[in-house]
Amino acid sequence: MYQVKKVSIAQLKDPLVVRWLYSLSVWPVSPARLASYLTNPNADPGDDVIYVVTQMDECVAFRTIMPDLIRGRNGQIKVAWLSGTWVKPSCRGKKLSLLTLHEVMKDWGGRLMFTNYSPVSENVNLQSHEFDLFLRREGMRFYLRSPLSVKFQCSFYGSKFLLKFADSLVNMLFSIHRTLKSRCNVNHNEMISPMDMGDFVDAASTQFSHAISKRESPHFSWILQHPWIGEGKPELRYPFTWLNMGNCVLMRSVVNSSGIIIAFALVNVKQMMATIPYFWCSIDEAGHQLTQGLVDELTNREVLWLTIFDPSVTRFFIKHRLLKKSVKQNYYISHLMKGLMHDPHWYHPVDGDGDVVFV
């Protein structure tokens, strides 16, 4: 017999509940995500955010969600982003993910959203026949360095050395290719500089008015102060990544001669891969300047690739003639949400919408 145990925001403040969560053989929530849940400005105390399926007091499945505010046709809408589902391997095929999904659907009045960040979760959620594709974005993955030694883990003798040697040759060609083919004309009188958290929050809070998720000063502060993935040695009892060496958040801006910010970006670097949740520029020249600086810095940090879904941002990186491939991002909404949302063309989604800003 399976039981679904729900944990609300208010219950996460109870030490006994937290002790129970971390006494399970598999953790349903990481300490980083727990801290984020407790400080989420969109969450109310009664919001259920963790759904644990137990059998004989053992965790055999769980689902987590993230409360968020969405810009809707008649004002803001409070929704739940489906942001993590796991089932014990020996229990897969028993529809436990659908069991938790139905509970979430009931508790949140059908106001659910998710993306195709995890293809496995995407397939499970779509099996419920409760969702429609809301919009699709055509993005790009730009390769800054050769990923051969990371993507191909061969076991024969000397393979690691050969792949690293091949990476070195390809990286040298990458560097020459960028130097000869870059078509960016940048004004070096404008400086690229690091931003502190306060400056970024102030700058970002006045932009992105047509993004899907409502983001104001408290939301940006929350995102920056409570990331889901940090730097450190991974904890194997949590089935998703939440600690890794080399993770960091970069905030960079272009400032003109008058000291005014004319472009800025927030970059997430995780496991040698990067994303840009937020990017803005007042003029294209500043966007090119910022892009040039980001490409140089990420290359120096030995980041393998950069994934961007926003076409207004990819156009700057295309100018650098980086090797690239097309990638897609799908946004799904529950049937009930269709009548609450603007037309998809009203939105200008950014890569920081929803829960993907944390992953």
Side-chain angles (χ1 to χ4, degrees):
M1 176 67 73
Y2 298 110
Q3 288 186 315
V4 179
K5 299 182 179 180
K6 307 173 187 180
V7 182
S8 67
I9 294 293
Q11 290 172 318
L12 287 176
K13 297 179 181 180
D14 185 338
L16 293 178
V17 173
V18 175
R19 190 178 305 163
W20 170 73
L21 288 171
Y22 292 125
S23 70
L24 298 170
S25 57
V26 175
W27 291 357
V29 63
S30 69
R33 192 179 290 210
L34 174 61
S36 175
Y37 282 177
L38 289 172
T39 53
N40 183 347
N42 301 321
D44 294 315
D47 291 343
D48 289 320
V49 291
I50 303 174
Y51 294 74
V52 181
V53 181
T54 61
Q55 183 183 42
M56 302 293 290
D57 294 327
E58 179 190 6
C59 174
V60 294
F62 69 80
R63 181 182 290 274
T64 52
I65 64 95
M66 187 194 83
D68 198 11
L69 294 179
I70 301 300
R71 291 182 171 91
R73 184 176 297 173
N74 298 313
Q76 66 186 28
I77 311 166
K78 187 172 180 180
V79 304
W81 285 91
L82 304 179
S83 61
T85 183
W86 174 87
V87 177
K88 184 179 178 180
S90 61
C91 295
R92 290 171 187 172
K94 298 181 180 180
K95 299 186 177 181
L96 296 183
S97 285
L98 290 178
L99 173 64
T100 56
L101 177 59
H102 292 149
E103 290 295 320
V104 176
M105 185 74 69
K106 180 177 62 177
D107 294 343
W108 282 84
R111 300 185 309 277
L112 309 183
M113 300 182 70
F114 70 95
T115 70
N116 63 329
Y117 175 81
S118 167
V120 174
S121 295
E122 178 188 24
N123 290 334
V124 169
N125 293 334
L126 291 179
Q127 287 175 18
S128 69
H129 304 292
E130 297 283 357
F131 297 93
D132 297 300
L133 178 65
F134 181 61
L135 59 83
R136 172 173 290 159
R137 297 202 294 166
E138 303 287 339
M140 290 286 178
R141 177 163 294 158
F142 298 95
Y143 290 90
L144 305 175
R145 297 179 63 82
S146 173
L148 295 177
S149 59
V150 174
K151 281 200 165 188
F152 301 101
Q153 300 291 338
C154 301
S155 58
F156 64 85
Y157 181 76
S159 61
K160 187 174 182 180
F161 170 79
L162 291 174
L163 288 172
K164 286 191 173 183
F165 180 72
D167 278 342
S168 298
L169 291 178
V170 174
N171 290 334
M172 182 176 64
L173 293 175
F174 273 15
S175 179
I176 295 172
H177 180 77
R178 283 196 299 269
T179 301
L180 296 178
K181 296 295 185 180
S182 177
R183 297 183 298 180
C184 298
N185 296 314
V186 297
N187 180 3
H188 292 284
N189 292 324
E190 295 164 347
M191 298 188 302
I192 298 176
S193 58
M195 302 178 76
D196 62 31
M197 185 181 300
D199 288 340
F200 174 81
V201 170
D202 290 343
S205 298
T206 60
Q207 307 301 328
F208 316 118
S209 60
H210 278 246
I212 293 176
S213 293
K214 184 178 180 181
R215 297 284 189 255
E216 296 177 345
S217 294
H219 306 104
F220 288 113
S221 297
W222 163 60
I223 290 167
L224 292 171
Q225 292 173 5
H226 298 284
W228 289 1
I229 302 177
E231 185 175 26
K233 185 178 179 180
E235 167 56 60
L236 299 180
R237 290 176 65 188
Y238 184 61
F240 305 130
T241 300
W242 74 282
L243 287 174
N244 255 299
M245 303 307 296
N247 294 341
C248 65
V249 175
L250 308 175
M251 291 172 281
R252 300 292 182 263
S253 65
V254 177
V255 181
N256 66 14
S257 57
S258 301
I260 298 173
I261 295 174
I262 55 176
F264 66 81
L266 184 144
V267 183
N268 283 337
V269 179
K270 297 180 177 72
Q271 296 178 283
M272 302 173 70
M273 297 169 284
T275 58
I276 303 182
Y278 301 104
F279 183 105
W280 172 86
C281 62
S282 59
I283 55 174
D284 280 2
E285 186 178 10
H288 289 306
Q289 176 82 3
L290 180 57
T291 303
Q292 179 70 67
L294 292 177
V295 169
D296 291 343
E297 181 170 2
L298 293 176
T299 301
N300 291 336
R301 288 176 176 269
E302 299 187 349
V303 170
L304 294 177
W305 62 73
L306 169 65
T307 303
I308 305 172
F309 294 103
D310 188 342
S312 69
V313 181
T314 57
R315 66 188 181 93
F316 290 109
F317 287 86
I318 288 173
K319 296 284 187 179
H320 289 269
R321 298 293 185 90
L322 299 165
L323 294 181
K324 61 185 182 296
K325 77 170 185 178
S326 297
V327 289
K328 295 179 181 179
Q329 184 181 49
N330 298 331
Y331 284 86
Y332 296 97
I333 59 174
S334 55
H335 299 325
L336 176 70
M337 294 283 294
K338 291 180 69 174
L340 303 177
M341 303 287 284
H342 289 288
D343 182 271
H345 298 292
W346 183 90
Y347 295 97
H348 181 168
V350 297
D351 290 13
D353 279 328
D355 64 331
V356 291
V357 67
F358 290 104
V359 295

